[in-house]
Amino acid sequence: MIDPTHNEKAAMEMVLPRLGEYVASVGMEKPLSLYNREEILQMVDVVLTAYFDNLRDITPDDVPF
């Protein structure tokens, strides 16, 4: 992503609590290199879902796309 907007940066920051919850559920002591395929895919889903949910919540409805 090149030069994220203010809202995109905010949405990224807002992902951190959900990502932290997910990592804690897998095990904080477990290195990322030992996550299995299912755990990685679930982490991607958690991050993307949280990012787009947050971005949608903080973007005004009247923005033309």
Side-chain angles (χ1 to χ4, degrees), residues 4-50:
T5 66
H6 174 74
N7 283 356
E8 290 168 337
K9 288 179 186 178
M12 286 182 223
E13 286 283 333
M14 296 167 74
V15 164
L16 296 177
R18 288 196 203 169
L19 177 58
E21 290 172 8
Y22 178 73
V23 170
S25 75
V26 173
M28 296 292 288
E29 70 288 339
K30 185 176 186 176
L32 186 59
S33 62
L34 295 181
Y35 281 32
N36 63 38
R37 179 180 174 82
E38 183 179 320
E39 290 166 332
I40 292 291
L41 290 173
Q42 183 63 40
M43 183 172 62
V44 169
D45 182 56
V46 165
V47 169
L48 291 176
T49 299

